[in-house]
Amino acid sequence: MSKEKEQGKTFDYQLLKRVIHYTKPYRLVFYGVALAAVLLSAFAVLTPVLVQEVVDSGITSKDPDRLLTLVIWMTVVLVAEVVCQLLFTYYANWLGESVIRDIRIKLFRQMIGFKMTYYDNSSIGVLVTRAVSDMQKIGEIFSQGFFVIIADVLKMVVVAVVMLVMDWELALIVFILMPVILLLTRWFQRSMKVAFTEVRTQVALLNGFVQERLAGMKIVQLFTREEMEKQQFEAINEKHKAGWLKTIWYNSIFFALAEMISSVALALVIGYAGFKIIGRDLSIPESQFGVIFAFVLLTGLLFRPLRHIADKFNTLQMGMVAARRVFEVLDTDSHIPNTGTLYKESVRGEISFENVHFGYIPEEEVLHGVSFDVKAGETLAIVGATGAGKSTIINLLNRFYDISSGNIRIDGTDVREFELSALRKHIAIVLQDVFLFADTIEQNISLGHPDIKLSDIEDAAKQIGVHEFISSLPGAYGYNVKERGSMLSGGQRQLIAFLRAYVSKPSILILDEATSSVDTYTEQLIQKATDKITEGRSSIIIAHRLATIKKADRILVMDAGQIVETGTHKELLEKGGYYRDLYEAQFLDEEVLG
């Protein structure tokens, strides 16, 4: 079905059925709320019926005892209705919040399992919208939509039956106008479905734009793009406003016309009944004036729920649009196949790439038959120009992406045979762009692992030479680094990342451009830390500063997705090839800068 047709559908029952499936663990509450909806419809009709009795058998008959009894019954009904309404509202909201909690947890689990390709092509702001505001709209399906509509529909059915029993002629006068308002309601529902789809699209775009600009605020200000970004934001915001105004316009038309039709129906009822009484029509004798009073109340009870249904249908439609978008993420099959069953407590760290081909886009290959080996405990450095494929090798070793062809082995076993978490447990990475959470240094190092204690972190920090730096911070290991580690310098974040990698005790260590953006003093600290944490374990170092890899056991030189040279630092310089050109160019650049 095309998107346009899908948007134009008044309602998607399969989608609602899927949402309701999440109430299965709370069936008792679900049925309780449904029962409360039935009771509310009964209580609503009892009041007009009692009013009729008060007028006909209490006031007109001048029977004070009968009048007192009926007034007491009216009070009991009203109290019962209030209690029922309270329970209905509370548990409908409780059910909605429980459902969105379960769906949100499932959605988050789904998102943290996506492979990197998904995030390469997705807006983080849009995903945040799916997990937060869209999810809240799903909750409103239960708290303000589905059950409220059921209660109102039941109320209308009961009211219609009671009206027919009381006086079928007056009932038919009211019913004549029902087709008009039903057609109007159907038009309203279809129009609002399209309008709400547009609103949710604009909300996601707005969230994505704001999230991206706030994350990149330094670039915005550095390149004086404030005015340009402001103009873009105004344009997006204008579309968001236009989407909402469309829903407001439909609401304005519908509720004005619905109110007018309700007033016309009431006028017809009173006019017809009045003329019958004036003409002394025996079908409404003076002893049954209560019917007129009851019909005044019942007409309101018939038309008011219909307007209410249309309003709550808006909420339901918004929730269904949000549910469709959330389920699109839940239904996305973008996971690295985790079919491996091998779980090793330890590995030696032997790494083998055998004729590996890979491309982030199938038609554009990045690695062209790469083959190399890393012995257990050996330090391998990989160098090359930007885009040569260095970081891609690291991504493939961790199975952030799967290779197109060839084999990658650890200790002679294909990495695809490992259970995914078991594979990554043996590998630690220090990236150039270190990510820290808005939490303490201790939590950023242990990442909440129960086996990593503060004493272990302090011992490790002393071993690699960063304890003094951390102790100098306010609160030491309890220092909150704020979002993305903004309270620390780039070099300090790198040192934290080194410590995080070290305490995890990996068998394989990867340093990806870990010293490319730090000062000389921090580079010395990092060099000492590097010597310590690479000791006795297999290490792969991707380096921009070639001076930092002189001690590597072996160096691979890459160009355009292929290995063009291999050897030690000394051997490659003596060879006089690509590596020597890189080294001399960098040495001359440093001399000029010096």
Side-chain angles (χ1 to χ4, degrees), residues 243-267:
W244 271 113
L245 284 177
K246 188 180 290 185
T247 68
I248 293 169
W249 172 245
Y250 290 141
N251 272 292
S252 301
I253 294 175
F254 174 78
F255 287 107
L257 291 175
E259 188 65 34
M260 183 186 72
I261 293 170
S262 176
S263 299
V264 169
L266 187 59

Side-chain angles (χ1 to χ4, degrees), residues 439-510:
D439 209 330
T440 63
I441 288 178
E442 178 188 355
Q443 286 298 313
N444 270 288
I445 292 170
S446 69
L447 296 177
H449 198 292
D451 294 335
I452 301 177
K453 310 299 182 185
L454 178 58
S455 57
D456 299 326
I457 295 173
E458 290 176 343
D459 291 341
K462 291 172 183 176
Q463 291 177 38
I464 67 173
V466 300
H467 177 70
E468 185 178 344
F469 140 64
I470 296 175
S471 299
S472 68
L473 297 171
Y477 291 87
Y479 181 65
N480 193 310
V481 301
K482 305 300 180 184
E483 188 174 357
R484 298 185 66 88
S486 60
M487 300 304 290
L488 300 177
S489 68
Q492 290 172 329
R493 291 196 294 271
Q494 287 286 1
L495 291 171
I496 297 297
F498 267 78
L499 183 54
R500 179 162 63 192
Y502 187 52
V503 297
S504 67
K505 299 178 181 178
S507 300
I508 298 171
L509 177 70
I510 298 168

Side-chain angles (χ1 to χ4, degrees), residues 555-576:
I555 299 171
L556 297 183
V557 184
M558 295 193 67
D559 183 42
Q562 294 179 313
I563 297 173
V564 293
E565 292 178 349
T566 182
T568 64
H569 174 71
K570 184 178 179 181
E571 290 170 349
L572 291 172
L573 286 180
E574 290 175 351
K575 193 178 292 185

Side-chain angles (χ1 to χ4, degrees), residues 233-483:
F233 180 76
E234 287 177 353
I236 295 173
N237 214 21
E238 187 61 34
K239 290 181 180 179
H240 178 257
K241 171 190 167 187
W244 271 113
L245 284 177
K246 188 180 290 185
T247 68
I248 293 169
W249 172 245
Y250 290 141
N251 272 292
S252 301
I253 294 175
F254 174 78
F255 287 107
L257 291 175
E259 188 65 34
M260 183 186 72
I261 293 170
S262 176
S263 299
V264 169
L266 187 59
L268 289 174
V269 166
I270 295 174
Y272 182 77
F275 279 114
K276 289 183 75 173
I277 292 173
I278 292 172
R280 299 197 178 276
D281 189 311
L282 295 179
S283 63
I284 303 185
E286 294 180 5
S287 63
Q288 293 185 9
F289 285 159
V291 173
I292 300 174
F293 284 90
F295 258 80
V296 169
L297 294 175
L298 288 169
T299 301
L301 285 175
L302 185 67
F303 283 94
R304 193 180 307 118
L306 194 57
R307 299 196 300 272
H308 200 217
I309 287 172
D311 185 36
K312 293 308 174 184
F313 202 87
N314 292 349
T315 301
L316 187 59
Q317 290 281 46
M318 185 74 90
M320 297 298 283
V321 169
R324 184 181 302 283
R325 295 178 183 279
V326 169
F327 288 145
E328 282 174 1
V329 179
L330 283 173
D331 293 339
T332 299
D333 184 14
S334 184
H335 295 82
I336 293 291
N338 190 14
T339 55
T341 57
L342 189 61
Y343 193 101
K344 290 187 176 182
E345 286 298 325
S346 62
V347 296
R348 297 189 304 276
E350 294 177 356
I351 303 169
S352 176
F353 273 60
E354 302 170 358
N355 195 31
V356 171
H357 291 259
F358 172 76
Y360 294 100
I361 301 172
E363 299 79 19
E364 300 177 17
E365 199 170 75
V366 175
L367 297 183
H368 312 289
V370 170
S371 299
F372 65 87
D373 296 306
V374 181
K375 298 177 182 177
E378 183 181 29
T379 297
L380 176 74
I382 305 176
V383 301
T386 301
K390 307 185 297 296
S391 295
T392 299
I393 287 175
I394 307 310
N395 289 333
L396 297 178
L397 182 60
N398 282 276
R399 288 198 72 199
F400 291 141
Y401 304 86
D402 266 341
I403 59 178
S404 304
S405 62
N407 291 291
I408 302 175
R409 303 182 188 277
I410 293 179
D411 290 358
T413 303
D414 194 302
V415 292
R416 287 167 289 198
E417 295 181 24
F418 285 87
E419 197 277 329
L420 202 54
S421 62
L423 168 69
R424 293 171 180 170
K425 174 186 175 183
H426 299 302
I427 304 172
I429 305 180
V430 179
L431 299 170
Q432 177 183 359
D433 183 18
V434 177
F435 186 93
L436 298 179
F437 296 96
D439 209 330
T440 63
I441 288 178
E442 178 188 355
Q443 286 298 313
N444 270 288
I445 292 170
S446 69
L447 296 177
H449 198 292
D451 294 335
I452 301 177
K453 310 299 182 185
L454 178 58
S455 57
D456 299 326
I457 295 173
E458 290 176 343
D459 291 341
K462 291 172 183 176
Q463 291 177 38
I464 67 173
V466 300
H467 177 70
E468 185 178 344
F469 140 64
I470 296 175
S471 299
S472 68
L473 297 171
Y477 291 87
Y479 181 65
N480 193 310
V481 301
K482 305 300 180 184
E483 188 174 357

